[in-house]
Amino acid sequence: KIESGHTGLHLDNVHLHQLLTDIVGMFTLRAAEKGLTLDRELSDDLPAIIYIDAGKLRQILVNLLSNAIKSTSSGTVTLRAVVSSAPFPISVPPEPADVVLSFEVEDTGSGIRPEEMPKIFEAFVQSEVGLNTRSGTGLGLSITQAFVALMGGELQVTSGGVTYRPGAPHPWPVAAPIQPGSCFQVILPVALGEASASLPAAPARQIIGLAEGTSPRILIAEDKWESSHLLEQLLRPLGFALRVAENGQAAVDLWRTWRPHLIWMDMRMPVMNGFEATQYIKSQPGGQQTVIIALTASSLERDRSNVMAAGCDDYVRKPFRTEVILEKIGEHLGVRYRYAAASATKATGEAVPEAPAAVVLAHLPHMPTSWVTALRQAAKCADNELIMTLLEDAAVTNPHLSQAVRSIVDDFRYDILIQAAEQVSWEQEG
């Protein structure tokens, strides 16, 4: 898309400090797991709001930070942002520039050989460090360079006292020794944003568990492992007692011996389907006291009528949203939840966000089938660069999904992405 000219800029008012804080937060765990210090240095005169393509700026800095952490085995990685006072020789940017910003990602890693500097900005080419770590595709810096150019900016790298700007000649001897540490600098002319631009709305209060003294028994009757596992991941950490049945007959057997308070009943299952299992349970003594909520991929009103006629107490369409699942349980069982304190904030003053897995479950079904399939394959390969490339598409239309997937990737929870994508793919196909 970049090479064919189909990638454009999507400008909007962006709270710069918040964006930079979010990006650093994405990499905190990854840096800590390698024993690295991740620093953030922001000059006091940085503008509060700028008018820029937030998705592309985020992608640029994510690519640079990811490479820095990958190539650094000890020491520090620093994200630095300052107002540049140097004259800017680049052509006019998409919007008249009010200020020139300099973003730097500096590390204490292995460094880059001078003769490698021109090559690392080429597509599918990696430095010696990248080859040794056997990670990545060699596209990160190529995409970064293209985005910087699209935004009217300038990119350069410094390592071992040598500075190189893509496209410039490199008169250094091929045998120059490699020296530790490198610094990538992005210089961008930007327009100032509107001071009246509001901060993003605070998310709804986050459910963190069940109220003391409650632990309802919930049976998940579902033959698709992806769907049952996602429900388990959602409900078990909150304190629900869970059992899983892989077909309608197993659900009936578990109902007899365990007497769940509520059953999430998939209507299409082998051996005995959900309609038959529901009818049987509701016809037995005590069966009317068990709440049965249908899970079905159908959105047809006649199917909803058939589900309710079979004896189900309620109906939820797949792919489900986290808030709907919890609301239905609360509605039918009178469950009381514990919430994160309304005043709970991070050290930076940000509101506590909704769990990334829940955000993915809520937003992934709205993405194109081909995009979901590509995300699943990238997650299976643990290909961070490809995932970030896919998110550049998502960021334009779905920033919440983009941020949630980044958070999950930074926690190395590819299994969550795989399971969510497989469930959504199955529902979209079926």
Side-chain angles (χ1 to χ4, degrees):
K1 289 176 65 177
I2 294 172
E3 292 173 350
S4 63
H6 291 163
T7 296
L9 293 176
H10 301 267
L11 305 175
D12 202 355
N13 291 303
V14 176
H15 291 263
L16 181 58
H17 283 79
Q18 181 174 337
L19 181 142
L20 297 175
T21 298
D22 289 344
I23 291 172
V24 171
M26 289 167 53
F27 288 93
T28 299
L29 178 61
R30 189 184 302 181
E33 289 184 341
K34 293 192 67 175
L36 304 176
T37 299
L38 181 57
D39 285 341
R40 177 188 57 180
E41 297 178 4
L42 309 181
S43 65
D44 294 335
D45 57 348
L46 278 181
I49 303 171
I50 58 176
Y51 193 62
I52 200 170
D53 187 323
K56 289 181 175 57
L57 176 57
R58 184 183 293 110
Q59 184 73 65
I60 289 168
L61 298 178
V62 163
N63 286 350
L64 295 180
L65 278 169
S66 179
N67 284 348
I69 291 175
K70 180 174 65 176
S71 64
T72 305
S73 57
S74 63
T76 304
V77 173
T78 303
L79 172 62
R80 188 177 297 113
V82 300
V83 174
S84 176
S85 59
F88 195 72
I90 299 295
S91 57
V92 178
E95 288 289 317
D98 298 309
V99 65
V100 176
L101 301 181
S102 172
F103 300 93
E104 296 180 4
V105 174
E106 186 174 7
D107 64 68
T108 57
S110 303
I112 304 170
R113 295 184 184 278
E115 66 270 20
E116 285 187 329
M117 289 183 176
K119 300 176 183 178
I120 60 175
F121 295 97
E122 299 176 11
F124 305 110
V125 175
Q126 293 181 294
S127 67
E128 180 179 327
V129 173
L131 294 172
N132 290 338
T133 58
R134 298 178 179 272
S135 60
T137 60
L139 279 173
L141 287 177
S142 176
I143 292 173
T144 297
Q145 180 187 358
F147 282 173
V148 171
L150 184 64
M151 298 169 78
E154 188 175 85
L155 172 65
Q156 65 182 28
V157 56
T158 300
S159 183
V162 176
T163 298
Y164 173 74
R165 183 178 297 115
H170 56 102
W172 320 296
V174 174
I178 187 170
Q179 297 185 38
S182 60
C183 179
F184 285 82
Q185 182 185 37
V186 176
I187 302 175
L188 290 177
V190 300
L192 297 178
E194 299 176 6
S196 60
S198 61
L199 285 166
R205 294 177 67 192
Q206 180 186 4
I207 293 175
I208 59 174
L210 295 171
E212 187 175 351
T214 61
S215 183
R217 296 185 300 276
I218 294 183
L219 173 60
I220 301 170
E222 172 65 74
D223 65 315
K224 298 293 183 182
W225 179 85
E226 295 84 0
S227 295
S228 64
H229 193 58
L230 279 170
L231 274 172
E232 282 189 276
Q233 285 191 318
L234 168 63
L235 299 177
R236 195 179 298 281
L238 299 181
F240 290 101
L242 297 180
R243 297 282 182 88
V244 177
E246 296 181 353
N247 56 63
Q249 183 60 58
V252 168
D253 295 340
L254 272 171
W255 174 80
R256 288 197 189 103
T257 59
W258 194 51
R259 292 297 170 127
H261 297 98
L262 183 147
I263 302 175
W264 288 104
M265 184 74 75
D266 180 30
M267 306 312 289
R268 294 184 353 185
M269 291 186 291
V271 184
M272 178 187 289
N273 64 37
F275 292 96
E276 297 167 333
T278 298
Q279 290 171 339
Y280 178 84
I281 291 171
K282 289 295 188 178
S283 69
Q284 299 302 301
Q288 292 296 328
Q289 281 69 52
T290 300
V291 176
I292 300 180
I293 303 179
L295 287 171
T296 175
S298 175
S299 60
L300 298 178
E301 187 58 35
R302 67 171 180 272
D303 290 330
R304 179 189 180 96
S305 300
N306 292 337
V307 163
M308 302 304 288
C312 290
D313 298 278
D314 212 330
Y315 170 102
V316 170
R317 181 177 177 271
K318 295 180 181 178
F320 51 77
R321 292 184 295 121
T322 300
E323 58 268 28
V324 172
I325 295 294
L326 297 178
E327 285 172 5
K328 293 294 185 183
I329 294 175
E331 176 186 341
H332 288 280
L333 297 184
V335 168
R336 293 176 294 112
Y337 295 112
R338 289 184 296 109
Y339 296 85
S343 60
T345 58
K346 297 180 181 178
T348 58
E350 298 171 81
V352 175
E354 185 180 5
V359 176
V360 170
L361 284 174
H363 292 278
L364 196 61
H366 304 295
M367 298 300 294
T369 302
S370 58
W371 192 93
V372 174
T373 300
L375 177 65
R376 179 179 58 186
Q377 294 301 322
K380 284 183 176 180
C381 298
D383 190 335
N384 285 10
E385 289 190 14
L386 180 54
I387 291 174
M388 293 305 166
T389 301
L390 290 169
L391 290 183
E392 177 54 32
D393 291 333
V396 174
T397 58
N398 204 326
H400 299 295
L401 173 64
S402 179
Q403 184 175 352
V405 171
R406 285 188 170 95
S407 178
I408 289 171
V409 168
D410 287 333
D411 287 341
F412 302 98
R413 292 303 307 274
Y414 300 102
D415 57 313
I416 294 177
L417 294 182
I418 294 169
Q419 292 153 18
E422 286 180 346
Q423 176 189 325
V424 171
S425 294
W426 178 75
E427 300 300 347
Q428 290 176 336
E429 293 168 3

